[in-house]
Amino acid sequence: MTDTSTAAAAFAPFEDLAAALLPHAEDAGDGAHDVAHLLRVFHNAMRLQATEGGDAQLLAAAVLLHDCVSVEKNSPHRAEASRLAADKATAILADLGWQPERIDAVAHAIHAHSYSANVEPVTLEARILQDADRLDSLGMIGVARTFYIAGRMGSKLYHAADPQGTDRPLDDRTYGLDHFETKLMKLSQGFKTDSGKAMAAERHRRLVQFRDLFLDEI
């Protein structure tokens, strides 16, 4: 993990909160869900919060702990990851003396952020966290994370004979490029905040551009 004090400073004005939470926050072995990911999601969330409103401290805590339990993408338990993270976050924040209602709000935001969990975010902070996290799956960062995760899972870049899945079922556990159609190209339609929708539209455009250029080269 990145040195905690150095990393925490990047989460200003919540550096003290970050210093307390970062030791619990991420799996050092997963470069797609590391401190750099947390910081990108934090920047996204603060940008959205500046326009949409909401409790910035609560949101910062939710960002810092949203991936505090790691479950690989190809695990049959993947859909449970955000619930497990919410449970862990509840215990961590209780130990720090947070009020129960604020802990519950953070836990809900964490539980609802996950695409695979399919939980509807009912608070503004939960909607912002979901949007902020999904923005990191779009654009060039989304491209990089997709192929990084494909490598971790031992997947191939694409199906040699049918890269677009025209005459075969899509299988994003075997082919990284399939993940664009099975998930990434759908993400921009599900954003919950107006600010998030605007940011997602541009990153979706970049994602499509990459996909098209990739196909042109093969």
Side-chain angles (χ1 to χ4, degrees):
M1 181 185 290
T2 304
D3 177 73
T4 298
S5 59
T6 301
F11 290 86
F14 300 106
E15 52 266 69
D16 290 344
L17 179 63
L21 298 183
L22 278 174
H24 309 283
E26 52 94 17
D27 178 359
D30 183 356
H33 298 89
D34 57 3
V35 171
H37 166 69
L38 296 179
L39 189 56
R40 290 192 304 270
V41 176
F42 176 73
H43 288 155
N44 291 339
M46 293 300 104
R47 182 173 174 182
L48 297 177
Q49 188 271 339
T51 301
E52 303 290 336
D55 187 315
Q57 184 194 47
L58 191 156
L59 186 56
V63 168
L64 284 158
L65 295 175
H66 79 279
D67 283 333
C68 65
V69 172
S70 177
V71 179
E72 287 283 3
K73 293 287 188 181
N74 57 351
S75 169
H77 304 295
R78 177 61 188 171
E80 294 297 307
S82 67
R83 180 187 62 78
L84 295 172
D87 291 346
K88 181 178 175 181
T90 295
I92 292 167
L93 294 175
D95 286 344
L96 292 177
W98 277 48
Q99 294 299 310
E101 64 273 13
R102 292 181 67 75
I103 294 174
D104 289 346
V106 171
H108 167 67
I110 292 172
H111 191 193
H113 92 274
S114 169
Y115 184 88
S116 55
N118 196 28
V119 174
E120 184 66 22
V122 299
T123 65
L124 176 57
E125 291 80 13
R127 291 192 291 272
I128 290 174
L129 177 62
Q130 187 182 99
D131 282 3
D133 186 60
R134 292 186 183 184
L135 281 168
D136 208 49
S137 295
L138 295 173
M140 294 300 96
I141 292 293
V143 170
R145 294 178 75 216
T146 293
F147 288 110
Y148 170 85
I149 292 169
R152 281 176 62 90
M153 294 180 359
S155 304
K156 298 179 180 180
L157 290 179
Y158 59 91
H159 188 288
D162 186 4
Q164 292 184 269
T166 304
D167 297 311
R168 64 174 177 84
L170 293 169
D171 177 8
D172 63 356
R173 294 191 179 190
T174 304
Y175 306 107
L177 189 63
D178 283 16
H179 194 60
F180 284 66
E181 297 300 331
T182 59
K183 179 180 177 181
L184 301 187
M185 295 300 184
K186 303 173 184 177
L187 284 179
S188 65
Q189 301 303 311
F191 277 66
K192 304 300 183 183
T193 67
D194 290 341
S195 302
K197 290 174 184 176
M199 293 174 67
E202 171 57 23
R203 296 195 189 189
H204 178 81
R205 183 194 66 77
R206 298 174 191 175
L207 199 67
V208 171
Q209 182 181 35
F210 172 88
R211 189 272 314 273
D212 292 345
L213 290 170
F214 186 97
L215 290 170
D216 182 65
E217 293 187 7
I218 60 175

